[in-house]
Amino acid sequence: MKKKEVNLNLFKDFFVHKSFNTWIFISLFITFFLSFPIISLIFKVLLNYNSDWNAVINIEIWDYLFNSVCIIFFQSIFVIFFGVSSAWIITTYDFPLRKIVDLFLLLPLSIPPYIAAIAYGELFDYSSYSQIFIRENIPFFNNINFFNIRSLPGVIFIFTITLYPYVYIISRAAFSEISFTYNEIGKTLGSKQLRIFFKVFLPLAIFPITGGVILSILESLNDFGTVQYYGVDTFTTGIYKTWIGLGDINLAAQISIFFLFFIFFILFLQKRFLSNEKINLKTSNKKETNLLSSGKLKKIFLVTFCLFPTILGFFIPFIFLLLNSIQALEIFLLKDTVINTFNTVFLASFVSFIIIFLSLIINYSARIKPTKINLFFNKVSSLGYAIPGSIIAIGILVPFTFIDNLFINISKNNFNLDINTFFTGSIFVLCFAYIVRFFTISQTNIESSFYRTSKNIDDAARCLGKKSNFILFNIHIPLMSMSILLSLILVFIEILKELSATLILRPFNFDTLAIQVYEYASEEKIIESTIPSLIIVVLCVIGIIFISRINDHLLKSGKR
């Protein structure tokens, strides 16, 4: 009965009430646009069941599932350890270079996992210079089998050192919001700092920390380059091999649906068991910023501990890329890299602006008409980031392949014309995939910005006779300019690093930097891959520095 009542309410909001207007219609269109790949994927599987699916279930699906579960489980443990520990140290203790270390802890976000995988694969593979040097110069290690980096544990290691910042950022924000009074009360009761952390701060911040872990899990499940380069089969490699290798869109769609159910099951568990309670972290209007002092040895330990994941996740891959790119300049033609850099930056910039515009429209619609149907559209449009790029790519290919084939058959049968595909293999479908995949990043930031802006501003503007369009473009956008810029940079960075969707949907003879890196690495041209890799990393580092400064500005102005 409750479900029927909810559906009736949505129906009334949409068709019966006077609240239906142009803004709600636009929200409906955007929501349908963003959910279109998943809808098409479900219909494809229901209408075109492939009997080969039985063989896939019996053999390969369980390998994909086992590897994915292992990655999720162990990665979660390690990212919690590094992310939460570092966040606690930064927010609690005072030590030299604390602000610089804080920035350094964010830098691994600039290294895409597949680039870190290439660097560590070349540095620590069996045939690498380091292992050859050790075996030739230290007889003791001649008969010892070193850790094989191209393995499931190697994949977990790469994801840990590159994805822990997701947990670090959220944990740091959560610990910063908890009143320092708790710390003082714990000390008064005779508790040591470590006990206060486990008994007070960790339970209060457990839900935000879980959100960070889920983000890191979604990133690792979306990855294609790392698992493919290290030879570990997961759902993303299975989808790619089925479509690109076998050309079987039906089977690829069925694997995608299985993968989608697996992801939704993870999100359901998180929602069901870890998000039922809400704890108000802000227990005082102004948090005291007292940092604990410590001795010289303890300061050295704290700095070393915080720098350890940064060295592994950023400095080692970055130095590897820097040194090898110098060598690559002697044998490398820069023409292709310059073209691919332009393609990447132009595509990322163009799509980022579209995403920001759509986010502003759908959130402003929910603000001026906060009906159930509008809030429902808002939630549905935010599902994209939970869905890996490979699934979105197949979901987009399914309908547009059908449309292209329909046009080709009509023109051939009726007009005797041979035409090429129009949608499939075009820039349009690639941009479409980016918008669906990364819309949530912008959506979340802009939604929170609208929430922090008083509705009295809208009421005052309406009293002066101003229309909704004027209020959005002349009042809200200038007020939210820093948050919009933050969202723009975040989306830009994510598009720079995206590989899985790009690999499936890119137009013929159109490459991005991520594709160039992947193709060189696949051909074992590691030296050649370092220059495009370095360009991606440098662009991401610049973006992260801007993000850090914008966050500081928002914190000082009280908008965060």
Side-chain angles (χ1 to χ4, degrees):
M1 285 296 291
K2 287 185 178 179
K3 287 184 179 178
K4 288 182 179 179
E5 287 176 10
V6 171
N7 291 334
L8 268 173
N9 288 334
L10 292 176
F11 181 84
K12 285 179 181 178
D13 273 339
F14 196 86
F15 292 106
V16 180
H17 291 174
K18 293 180 180 179
S19 58
F20 176 66
N21 61 7
T22 307
W23 288 98
I24 293 182
F25 180 78
I26 293 171
S27 293
L28 171 63
F29 176 77
I30 294 171
T31 303
F32 177 77
F33 177 79
L34 295 172
S35 57
F36 182 66
I38 303 307
I39 295 170
S40 66
L41 200 59
I42 293 169
F43 274 98
K44 179 70 174 177
V45 171
L46 291 175
L47 299 176
N48 297 279
Y49 180 80
N50 192 328
S51 58
D52 293 338
W53 175 243
N54 296 324
V56 173
I57 283 186
N58 291 333
I59 302 170
E60 295 181 355
I61 279 291
W62 303 116
D63 290 337
Y64 302 157
L65 191 61
F66 174 79
N67 290 337
S68 298
V69 169
C70 286
I71 289 170
I72 288 170
F73 179 75
F74 290 105
Q75 170 200 323
S76 298
I77 293 172
F78 293 124
V79 296
I80 288 171
F81 175 73
F82 286 118
V84 175
S85 302
S86 301
W88 170 249
I89 290 169
I90 291 293
T91 53
T92 306
Y93 294 98
D94 185 26
F95 52 86
L97 306 176
R98 177 177 162 273
K99 289 187 177 179
I100 294 175
V101 173
D102 183 23
L103 178 61
F104 281 177
L105 283 163
L106 300 176
L107 291 180
L109 282 178
S110 66
I111 306 282
Y114 56 86
I115 290 179
I118 294 169
Y120 276 98
E122 188 68 9
L123 286 171
F124 299 107
D125 196 11
Y126 182 82
S127 58
S128 64
Y129 291 116
S130 58
Q131 286 208 28
I132 292 172
F133 177 82
I134 291 171
R135 286 195 299 271
E136 288 181 353
N137 294 279
I138 306 176
F140 175 76
F141 290 105
N142 283 338
N143 299 321
I144 293 178
N145 291 324
F146 288 93
F147 169 69
N148 181 16
I149 192 71
R150 294 175 184 261
S151 61
L152 184 59
V155 170
I156 294 167
F157 169 74
I158 295 297
F159 286 151
T160 298
I161 62 174
T162 54
L163 300 178
Y164 81 86
Y166 286 102
V167 179
Y168 169 74
I169 292 168
I170 295 177
S171 302
R172 191 191 186 292
F175 292 146
S176 298
E177 289 179 349
I178 299 173
S179 175
F180 194 76
T181 309
Y182 283 121
N183 205 28
E184 295 298 325
I185 293 171
K187 283 184 178 180
T188 305
L189 295 173
S191 297
K192 292 185 178 179
Q193 202 62 43
L194 195 62
R195 182 178 173 81
I196 295 171
F197 168 70
F198 281 108
K199 293 293 184 180
V200 180
F201 281 80
L202 190 59
L204 285 173
I206 191 65
F207 301 113
I209 290 170
T210 304
V213 174
I214 293 295
L215 278 175
S216 72
I217 287 172
L218 294 175
E219 281 294 322
S220 62
L221 289 176
N222 175 64
D223 179 84
F224 171 77
T226 305
V227 291
Q228 196 274 339
Y229 188 67
Y230 280 3
V232 177
D233 285 332
T234 61
F235 286 102
T236 49
T237 58
I239 292 168
Y240 179 80
K241 286 189 292 185
T242 305
W243 168 237
I244 302 297
L246 303 177
D248 193 336
I249 189 70
N250 293 330
L251 192 55
Q254 287 167 204
I255 295 173
S256 299
I257 284 292
F258 192 96
F259 190 16
L260 190 63
F261 285 150
F262 176 65
I263 290 168
F264 283 166
F265 179 69
I266 293 171
L267 296 175
F268 167 76
L269 292 179
Q270 187 258 343
K271 189 82 174 172
R272 176 69 178 81
F273 297 107
L274 296 172
S275 298
N276 286 335
E277 300 176 27
K278 291 184 178 179
I279 296 175
N280 186 11
L281 297 176
K282 293 187 178 181
T283 55
S284 60
N285 293 330
K286 186 178 180 181
K287 178 196 173 290
E288 298 177 42
T289 56
N290 298 356
L291 295 172
L292 301 177
S293 58
S294 51
K296 287 185 179 180
L297 287 176
K298 192 171 183 178
K299 286 179 180 177
I300 293 171
F301 170 77
L302 295 176
V303 173
T304 305
F305 182 88
C306 290
L307 287 178
F308 179 68
T310 303
I311 291 169
L312 293 177
F314 177 77
F315 287 104
I316 290 177
F318 183 75
I319 292 169
F320 169 83
L321 294 176
L322 197 61
L323 295 176
N324 283 277
S325 62
I326 296 170
Q327 184 181 347
L329 287 173
E330 301 173 2
I331 59 172
F332 194 68
L333 294 175
L334 288 176
K335 181 182 176 183
D336 289 341
T337 304
V338 171
I339 294 171
N340 294 338
T341 302
F342 174 79
N343 290 343
T344 305
V345 172
F346 174 77
L347 204 58
S349 303
F350 177 69
V351 174
S352 298
F353 279 107
I354 292 176
I355 289 174
I356 294 297
F357 177 74
L358 294 178
S359 300
L360 286 167
I361 297 299
I362 200 168
N363 279 289
Y364 187 60
S365 174
R367 180 182 177 86
I368 61 176
K369 295 291 181 183
T371 58
K372 290 181 180 178
I373 188 68
N374 233 340
L375 296 175
F376 173 74
F377 290 158
N378 213 319
K379 287 182 180 179
V380 171
S381 65
S382 302
L383 292 175
Y385 198 69
I387 304 168
S390 54
I391 294 179
I392 293 171
I394 297 298
I396 290 172
L397 276 177
V398 166
F400 285 115
T401 302
F402 173 80
I403 293 169
D404 279 337
N405 290 334
L406 185 65
F407 283 155
I408 289 170
N409 290 331
I410 290 173
S411 63
K412 189 172 185 179
N413 295 331
N414 296 299
F415 305 102
N416 200 26
L417 295 173
D418 290 326
I419 62 171
N420 295 322
T421 58
F422 182 74
F423 291 109
T424 309
S426 66
I427 290 289
F428 170 76
V429 293
L430 185 58
C431 292
F432 187 9
Y434 288 155
I435 292 168
V436 174
R437 174 89 175 95
F438 301 116
F439 180 80
T440 309
I441 298 172
S442 171
Q443 162 79 357
T444 306
N445 279 298
I446 289 176
E447 184 181 23
S448 62
S449 296
F450 271 120
Y451 179 77
R452 289 192 299 268
T453 306
S454 173
K455 288 191 176 182
N456 293 334
I457 293 174
D458 301 62
D459 296 336
R462 287 194 192 95
C463 289
L464 294 172
K466 303 301 180 183
K467 294 184 178 180
S468 298
N469 295 351
F470 180 90
I471 296 170
L472 174 61
F473 290 102
N474 293 279
I475 297 176
H476 283 296
I477 290 179
L479 282 174
M480 301 189 305
S481 58
M482 296 306 289
S483 294
I484 290 172
L485 182 59
L486 178 65
S487 301
L488 191 71
I489 296 171
L490 283 169
V491 174
F492 182 87
I493 288 173
E494 290 296 328
I495 295 174
L496 280 181
K497 299 189 293 182
E498 174 61 32
L499 176 63
S500 56
T502 313
L503 202 58
I504 296 174
L505 295 175
R506 66 188 172 119
F508 177 73
N509 206 26
F510 180 90
D511 289 334
T512 62
L513 289 171
I515 294 293
Q516 189 178 11
V517 172
Y518 169 77
E519 288 182 342
Y520 278 135
S522 300
E523 297 168 4
E524 293 298 327
K525 295 180 179 179
I526 305 301
I527 301 297
E528 288 86 343
S529 72
T530 55
I531 291 181
S533 298
L534 190 63
I535 294 171
I536 293 174
V537 172
V538 169
L539 289 172
C540 290
V541 168
I542 293 169
I544 287 170
I545 292 170
F546 274 109
I547 288 169
S548 179
R549 293 193 174 184
I550 292 169
N551 265 324
D552 289 342
H553 173 80
L554 292 173
L555 284 169
K556 287 176 183 177
S557 61
K559 293 182 180 180
R560 281 259 162 181

